[in-house]
Amino acid sequence: MLIETKDLKKHFQIGRKQTLHAVDGVSLQIEENEILGLVGESGSGKSTFGKALIGLHSRTSGTTTYNGQLLPAKFTAADHLQYSKELQMIFQDPYSSLNPRMTVLDIVGEGLLIQGQTKRSEVKDQVALWLEKVGLNADHMSRYPHEFSGGQRQRIGIARAMIIQPRFVVCDEPISALDVSVQAQVVNLLEQLKQDLGLTLLFIAHDLSMVRYVSDRMAVMYLGSLVESGPADDVFFNPQHPYTQLLIEANPEPDPETERHHKYVPIIGEITSPINLGAGCRFADRCPKVMSHCRSVTPKTTVVAAKHTVNCHLFE
Ligand code: SF4
């Protein structure tokens, strides 16, 4: 196993009395050379979890182990420098994640210069190489971000993360700001890089069919907690948790022919506020199968099939 969290929590204090439970006790393992897809509605804590995993957010409690080493709860500047060689992130919005005043050469080459292990004269060659690898060309390095399309900017973001040759990359909704026609290209590029470089990826997204396509395993998050995880096809075709079932029902089909016969069942209500949460199942207010004790007793993790777990009282 490459990375593991145990009961990871990330809370934010709001004023003196309120606590926002963004991530509230997530235990997860990611194997080497695996793509784990993490899904859930906006506000479920996916991005916060991804950032806490690689030290971009401090942890409130719990542990993260990377390659057998316990990562610090709060990274210092030296920790960031040390671990950024191996732990990288590709951000959601290719428009705001690239500095508009920097050229592509400076953006993509910055990480190498910070690491200090590549001579300045060699950085240009490395940037040219990586621009080619992500489907751009070396001539693009003197241009600025505004001269590119959304899909091209995301490729620049991917080159920036990959040039360091990391071992683990958090891809935080890397396709949601892109046109549908470009999404598959970027996903295929990530898969290719995973195979070529032996990468391990956490792929965060809300498009379940795309996550199933790209991932080996899938985990579903609701209001800061994991509700289901397992092999991607098992979770997608045989979802067990009421939330996962509704999420998949509400997910548009990529195939127009299947889409015509798809019966939408929207998830009722909105995700509850993650402020000052108490005991009980977080999904109780929206669950069509809610029982009386769901509101007071937090469900345990139950194994329902090989490597497939669910957090719901229906399975205990
Ligand atoms: Fe629904 Fe209860 Fe299961 Fe929560 S624990 S998902 S409320 S049945």
Side-chain angles (χ1 to χ4, degrees), residues 241-242 281 283-284 287 289-291 294 299 312-314:
H241 194 282
C281 172
F283 190 54
C287 180
K289 298 175 182 170
V290 63
M291 302 171 285
C294 296
C312 171
H313 290 308
L314 292 170

Side-chain angles (χ1 to χ4, degrees), residues 11-241:
H11 295 171
F12 296 94
Q13 214 53 47
I14 304 174
R16 286 194 186 160
K17 294 188 178 153
Q18 295 192 313
T19 304
L20 190 150
H21 299 237
V23 180
D24 210 20
V26 172
S27 300
L28 203 59
Q29 298 179 343
I30 308 177
E31 301 291 338
E32 179 112 50
N33 202 214
E34 177 180 58
I35 299 184
L36 177 72
L38 185 60
V39 297
E41 292 164 284
S42 297
S44 58
K46 309 182 299 290
S47 296
T48 307
F49 174 73
K51 287 180 181 163
L53 203 54
I54 60 169
L56 296 182
H57 276 317
S58 60
R59 289 192 305 272
T60 303
S61 63
T63 59
T64 306
T65 311
Y66 165 70
N67 200 25
Q69 284 175 287
L70 203 58
L71 296 183
K74 186 173 184 181
F75 275 34
T76 62
D79 293 327
H80 281 297
L81 188 62
Q82 178 187 344
Y83 287 109
S84 66
K85 284 180 215 153
E86 303 192 27
L87 309 174
Q88 279 286 319
M89 186 149 185
I90 295 167
F91 294 91
Q92 174 178 5
D93 186 352
Y95 293 89
S96 62
S97 64
L98 305 180
N99 186 334
R101 293 186 197 85
M102 288 169 73
T103 63
V104 171
L105 171 62
D106 294 336
I107 291 168
V108 177
E110 189 180 30
L112 286 178
L113 289 171
I114 290 172
Q115 292 296 336
Q117 287 169 351
T118 310
K119 288 184 199 151
R120 199 164 269 274
S121 58
E122 290 168 6
V123 169
K124 203 170 173 181
D125 292 342
Q126 284 289 317
V127 171
L129 185 75
W130 275 94
L131 289 179
E132 303 277 353
K133 280 193 188 193
V134 299
L136 298 170
N137 66 60
D139 295 345
H140 288 143
M141 74 170 81
S142 56
R143 298 191 195 169
Y144 289 86
H146 73 269
E147 298 177 65
F148 296 90
S149 67
Q152 287 173 318
R153 287 185 206 210
Q154 195 54 289
R155 287 170 190 268
I156 295 168
I158 293 171
R160 173 176 61 181
M162 298 297 175
I163 199 168
I164 309 289
Q165 307 222 18
R167 209 162 155 194
F168 176 68
V169 181
V170 174
C171 305
D172 184 13
E173 305 252 12
I175 55 170
S176 44
L178 304 178
D179 288 346
V180 175
S181 57
V182 184
Q183 289 183 354
Q185 294 171 18
V186 171
V187 164
N188 288 338
L189 170 63
L190 287 169
E191 266 208 310
Q192 189 61 50
L193 290 171
K194 178 219 160 192
Q195 279 167 18
D196 293 349
L197 306 174
L199 282 171
T200 304
L201 302 175
L202 177 69
F203 187 89
I204 299 172
H206 55 257
D207 179 343
L208 274 90
S209 36
M210 192 61 89
V211 169
R212 180 191 78 79
Y213 170 75
V214 76
S215 308
D216 303 298
R217 281 193 307 129
M218 194 190 287
V220 184
M221 217 169 152
Y222 186 79
L223 215 54
S225 299
L226 278 190
V227 298
E228 184 162 2
S229 74
D233 280 356
D234 278 11
V235 174
F236 191 80
F237 291 114
N238 190 21
Q240 299 294 313
H241 194 282

